[in-house]
Amino acid sequence: GESVGLHLPTLSVQEGDNSIINCAYSNSASDYFIWYKQESGKGPQFIIDIRSNMDKRQGQRVTVLLNKTVKHLSLQIAATQPGDSAVYFCALGKDDKIIFGKGTRLHILP
Amino acid sequence: DAGVTQSPTHLIKTRGQQVTLRCSPKSGHDTVSWYQQALGQGPQFIFQYYEEEERQRGNFPDRFSGHQFPNYSSELNVNALLLGDSALYLCASSWAGTRNLGYFGPGTRLTVT
């Protein structure tokens, strides 16, 4: 079946630097991939998604890259800010349900 | 525009008891999905409701059941609670006409003692 996993459970980044969070997924016919941000005490918040027929998509300060050859997904956050501190999940969408990975906690260093 | 709302915020129950959690979807959404998030883990799909019927289900026992009402709100029921049912229960809503991007509520924190 489908599964997703993140490469690192935690990531520490200097404020102002760019953050890159990586994710791998197993063989799937997923329609799309999604990144979520979850702050303490809150539900996951949608950041950006990408269809499986695309390899790059940009949003406000975020870029998602999809490499289907190696089954790898990444989220890049530009000019990381203190408010970016959270747990980030990659997920895949299949048959209208969402399958989550374990999450990477992003720490912002002053 | 209110987003997804869930009640209660926190709940403490004893093993063997039953619990009902509630969810109101985002305005304009007609599909509700429920997820269980154990501490330190990603959310796990429980089931999805559309047009008042369970449309698909994840790998959860029959102790977990649900309901959707004509106004699209939904309930999650868990019977015969186990300690392992302690988790954050998340509700996400979507509109059947578009792909599910999972607009999540804040969750209900269930503690089973």
Side-chain angles (χ1 to χ4, degrees), chain A residues 15-88:
Chain A
E15 183 179 346
D17 287 352
N18 296 335
S19 302
I20 300 176
I21 304 172
N22 296 301
C23 178
Y25 61 94
S26 67
N27 186 30
S28 79
S30 297
D31 299 323
Y32 51 100
F33 299 85
I34 315 166
W35 281 98
Y36 292 91
K37 171 185 180 183
Q38 187 173 26
E39 297 174 286
S40 181
K42 297 183 179 180
Q45 176 188 357
F46 170 85
I47 301 173
I48 191 169
D49 69 316
I50 185 168
R51 288 189 179 276
S52 58
N53 62 355
M54 301 171 65
D55 53 22
K56 181 179 180 178
R57 190 172 185 212
Q58 290 184 290
Q60 186 176 10
R61 279 203 309 122
V62 295
T63 301
V64 57
L65 300 177
L66 175 61
N67 185 329
K68 293 180 287 294
T69 302
V70 295
K71 296 184 175 59
H72 183 269
L73 185 70
S74 69
L75 176 70
Q76 300 177 8
I77 304 173
T80 309
Q81 304 169 357
D84 295 327
S85 179
V87 177
Y88 288 82

Side-chain angles (χ1 to χ4, degrees), chain A residues 98, chain B residues 3-5 23-35 72 91-95 99-105:
Chain A
I98 299 167
Chain B
V4 179
T5 60
C23 170
S24 291
K26 180 179 169 63
S27 178
H29 287 182
D30 58 6
T31 302
V32 172
S33 303
W34 286 92
Y35 294 79
Y72 308 121
C91 169
S93 71
S94 57
W95 180 50
R99 65 182 180 275
N100 183 6
L101 298 180
Y103 291 95
F104 284 85

Side-chain angles (χ1 to χ4, degrees), chain B residues 10-28:
Chain B
H10 297 88
L11 203 53
I12 300 174
K13 289 287 189 177
T14 304
R15 262 184 311 177
Q17 286 187 317
Q18 178 265 343
V19 69
T20 297
L21 310 181
R22 295 176 177 81
C23 170
S24 291
K26 180 179 169 63
S27 178

